[in-house]
Amino acid sequence: MRDYMDKNKKHECIYKKILDNSYDEIFVVDGEDRVVYVNDACEKHYGLKPEDMIGKNVKELVELGYWYPRVDVQPYVYKTKKSFTVEQTTILNKKLVTTIVPVLDERGEVELVVQNVREKTGLEDYKDELEKIRFLLEDKSEKEESEGFFDQKDFGFLTYNNKMKRIMKITSKAASVGSTILILGESGTGKGLIAKTIHNCSERKKEPFIAINCGAIPENLLESELFGYETGAFTGADKTGRVGLIELAKNGTLFLDEIGEITPRIQVKLLHVLQNREYYSIGGRKVKTTNAAIIAATNRNLEEMVSSGEFRQDLYYRLNIMEVTIPPLRKRIEEIAPLTYYFLEKLNKKYNSKNEISKELLDLFRKYSWPGNVRELENLVERMIITTEKDLLEIDNLPEVFIERMNRVNKGNLTSLDDLKDRYEAKLIKEYYEECGTTRKLAEKLDISQTRAARLVKKYLNS
Ligand SMILES: Nc1ncnc2c1ncn2[C@@H]1O[C@H](COP(=O)(O)OP(=O)(O)OP(=O)(O)O)[C@@H](O)[C@H]1O
Ligand SMILES: [Mg+2]
């Protein structure tokens, strides 16, 4: 009997290994539409780990926008008990071909639905079959539901985190009605890209989007860029005068990046624009009006700058009518994998390469705290694609400077509960294993299964 059990266990292990290592995604759903199994391949399709998907309801995943369109498998498969194939697009913009196969129990009823999911290479032609099941696709309603998401992605902006999605929703509404928006957040969190996306998702999208980096140019130049000047306004000015960016923005959006850097004089002028929607160009006598929506961004702490007198309080209040803070990447860990895959795809195209990323490296990315945020991630992926000769990016291919930085940055914050638990567990297992000598005795001593004891020994002693 024992022998039989061992054999069974061994087989189970082998089956699991085969499934986990299958290049195609295997996705199994039960009668209640719950995911009962999915292999590691899901990560490259949705950016989610199997443990993030197993136990979830399919509807919930579809609503979060992980793939589109939703295929109402239940009524069809349960009635016909036949398999069929559909095409789907995922949150990472992967085009998938999914074959859905019902598994029947001994009474001939559907017990499970197994889906074999393969990335479309262009070689497969499932057209005929697709025609047949077209009626199953709830095309319109689904598209409408996830429209916000797909719109944003068309502009190269990926949102995956609920907080970010909420930010995008409220800000594009605010932008449509012309409300001023202030975007705060650490460097590299995507403030610039978000400003552009807000504009593109708003009703102003057909109007101009004019951006200026207030920190990059001296006061006088910034003033003439923003407000424009009349003929002969100052020595060295163009004879014909110059149209300012506020005017160029028309009914669109004016994006003032690094607003924390503007000098007191420009602060006053800008306050006037925000309050009265009016301004004078340099040397001009005729008042000009503007209807542009203003989006401002900074990585500085404006509130502190107000307290220290560096930034006008009244201007700050005008700007922060709608203030959003973009969380740093380390606070949106679930976006790390999708962003990595997104950059891989984008940069593979640029460099005509076909790099993939190892699971271990991706896990490491999730643990790193990314002080340079999304920009740092994007730059690292680009650098690795350029410098790695083989197609798989692995931990070994990380540039030396990155490893050094990672050690430095991560050293400071090894205090999470999980880290502490791991360290304590490692200490305990090492001590007890030395004392017991075998995993069987260790299992007895700690009142755990021998498999678990063996796993722990392998984890902490052999690595
Ligand atoms: N959600 C995202 N999806 C896709 N790309 C992103 C996302 N967020 C940031 N990026 C990319 O990361 C890089 C940095 O973004 P961006 O320049 O907008 O950051 P920032 O917050 O304005 O930084 P800084 O404060 O230094 O100006 C850009 O190349 C941008 O395209
Ligand atoms: Mg920026």
Side-chain angles (χ1 to χ4, degrees):
M1 183 69 184
R2 203 193 165 105
D3 246 21
Y4 173 77
M5 296 258 296
D6 280 353
K7 225 186 217 157
N8 254 358
K9 269 246 140 56
K10 210 165 160 189
H11 276 147
E12 222 174 81
C13 267
I14 291 174
Y15 293 148
K16 194 166 171 327
K17 250 190 207 154
I18 294 172
L19 288 172
D20 280 345
N21 287 292
S22 154
Y23 183 80
D24 286 356
E25 178 194 326
I26 318 268
F27 183 92
V28 186
V29 178
D30 69 8
E32 260 129 45
D33 241 5
R34 237 194 323 267
V35 183
V36 290
Y37 173 82
V38 65
N39 63 351
D40 290 348
C42 67
E43 198 158 353
K44 62 180 188 227
H45 294 159
Y46 319 103
L48 281 181
K49 282 170 159 293
E51 55 264 41
D52 299 328
M53 299 190 89
I54 294 171
K56 291 256 161 63
N57 192 284
V58 171
K59 193 155 186 264
E60 196 185 319
L61 293 168
V62 174
E63 267 163 16
L64 286 167
Y66 285 105
W67 66 86
Y68 160 85
R70 169 179 162 78
V71 180
D72 227 343
V73 180
Q74 297 286 359
Y76 184 78
V77 176
Y78 278 75
K79 214 163 113 203
T80 64
K81 296 173 186 154
K82 283 203 180 109
S83 62
F84 64 96
T85 302
V86 286
E87 273 182 52
Q88 285 164 316
T89 306
T90 75
I91 194 162
L92 299 177
N93 210 14
K94 302 264 162 150
K95 305 273 182 280
L96 305 178
V97 175
T98 304
T99 301
I100 298 165
V101 184
V103 177
L104 308 181
D105 63 13
E106 57 274 13
R107 285 171 295 137
E109 297 301 327
V110 179
E111 191 179 5
L112 293 169
V113 177
V114 176
Q115 310 192 8
N116 185 287
V117 187
R118 164 173 299 188
E119 206 176 328
K120 211 177 157 198
T121 58
L123 293 174
E124 305 93 339
D125 195 7
Y126 291 88
K127 282 231 152 33
D128 288 351
E129 208 153 349
L130 270 169
E131 277 310 313
K132 274 190 247 151
I133 48 86
R134 201 157 289 275
F135 67 95
L136 279 168
L137 311 178
E138 297 172 293
D139 221 323
K140 201 162 171 297
S141 57
E142 286 299 331
K143 188 157 170 56
E144 266 162 17
E145 248 174 51
S146 33
E147 205 147 56
F149 165 76
F150 278 93
D151 264 353
Q152 286 165 24
K153 218 151 130 260
D154 290 342
F155 303 111
F157 179 75
L158 211 79
T159 34
Y160 200 67
N161 167 288
N162 285 338
K163 194 169 170 202
M164 292 291 285
K165 279 189 190 162
R166 237 174 295 131
I167 289 178
M168 295 316 294
K169 218 174 187 164
I170 50 171
T171 47
S172 37
K173 273 202 187 126
S176 291
V177 297
S179 161
T180 302
I181 299 170
L182 176 63
I183 308 173
L184 303 175
E186 289 177 18
S187 183
T189 43
K191 297 183 295 297
L193 186 60
I194 286 170
K196 183 96 215 261
T197 311
I198 291 173
H199 170 81
N200 283 336
C201 293
S202 81
E203 283 155 23
R204 293 173 179 254
K205 60 177 168 245
K206 294 213 173 72
E207 302 285 336
F209 175 83
I210 304 284
I212 182 163
N213 186 332
C214 304
I217 48 178
E219 183 182 43
N220 284 343
L221 198 55
L222 179 64
E223 187 180 8
S224 59
E225 282 289 311
L226 277 176
F227 301 94
Y229 52 81
E230 303 300 318
T231 324
F234 49 87
T235 18
D238 276 356
K239 289 239 162 42
T240 47
R242 190 180 167 94
V243 179
L245 296 179
I246 302 178
E247 192 170 340
L248 280 180
K250 292 185 188 145
N251 295 320
T253 305
L254 177 67
F255 174 45
L256 303 170
D257 203 0
E258 315 227 10
I259 188 89
E261 312 304 320
I262 59 172
T263 56
R265 199 160 60 84
I266 310 260
Q267 288 181 29
V268 176
K269 290 194 82 165
L270 212 52
L271 176 67
H272 192 75
V273 176
L274 287 170
Q275 256 168 359
N276 308 313
R277 299 257 139 212
E278 283 176 2
Y279 64 98
Y280 289 93
S281 59
I282 301 170
R285 288 160 177 240
K286 233 173 77 195
V287 70
K288 295 189 170 192
T289 56
T290 174
N291 194 27
I294 292 185
I295 304 183
T298 180
N299 54 20
R300 309 252 323 247
N301 185 334
L302 283 188
E303 233 172 340
E304 259 174 29
M305 290 179 72
V306 169
S307 314
S308 65
E310 282 170 89
F311 202 86
R312 290 185 71 105
Q313 188 170 39
D314 41 11
L315 177 58
Y316 174 59
Y317 287 146
R318 274 283 158 187
L319 287 171
N320 84 345
I321 297 172
M322 166 107 252
E323 179 184 295
V324 289
T325 303
I326 310 307
L329 188 55
R330 64 184 164 281
K331 295 242 171 86
R332 1 176 197 139
I333 294 176
E334 71 274 34
E335 287 198 332
I336 291 177
L339 281 168
T340 306
Y341 285 111
Y342 170 72
F343 291 137
L344 263 178
E345 192 181 300
K346 185 171 110 179
L347 296 163
N348 269 335
K349 257 191 213 134
K350 178 172 167 188
Y351 292 106
N352 201 10
S353 54
K354 41 182 197 299
N355 280 286
E356 296 198 21
I357 182 163
S358 81
K359 209 166 154 315
E360 292 74 23
L361 182 57
L362 200 59
D363 280 340
L364 193 79
F365 279 7
R366 285 201 187 87
K367 287 188 193 128
Y368 179 55
S369 57
W370 302 105
N373 293 294
V374 186
R375 181 180 294 115
E376 187 181 5
L377 174 64
E378 184 174 10
N379 290 348
L380 180 67
V381 172
E382 180 156 16
R383 186 169 169 162
M384 289 187 78
I385 288 183
I386 297 170
T387 55
T388 309
E389 271 168 25
K390 42 191 190 40
D391 284 342
L392 186 67
L393 305 181
E394 293 184 285
I395 292 180
D396 286 348
N397 311 117
L398 280 169
E400 197 70 29
V401 283
F402 181 80
I403 296 175
E404 273 166 25
R405 184 159 7 119
M406 194 158 106
N407 285 337
R408 211 167 44 236
V409 171
N410 279 358
K411 210 171 262 163
N413 51 24
L414 262 182
T415 45
S416 75
L417 182 61
D418 286 339
D419 288 329
L420 291 173
K421 254 168 60 189
D422 271 5
R423 276 193 278 175
Y424 182 63
E425 195 173 66
K427 188 165 168 279
L428 211 74
I429 297 295
K430 269 182 198 153
E431 273 174 27
Y432 280 26
Y433 186 62
E434 262 169 35
E435 184 187 317
C436 299
T438 65
T439 51
R440 192 178 54 76
K441 280 194 189 142
L442 179 69
E444 266 168 25
K445 176 140 187 128
L446 295 175
D447 196 25
I448 54 175
S449 72
Q450 193 179 347
T451 335
R452 187 160 164 209
R455 193 165 45 79
L456 289 169
V457 167
K458 186 163 175 265
K459 179 170 171 191
Y460 294 120
L461 277 90
N462 298 352
S463 58

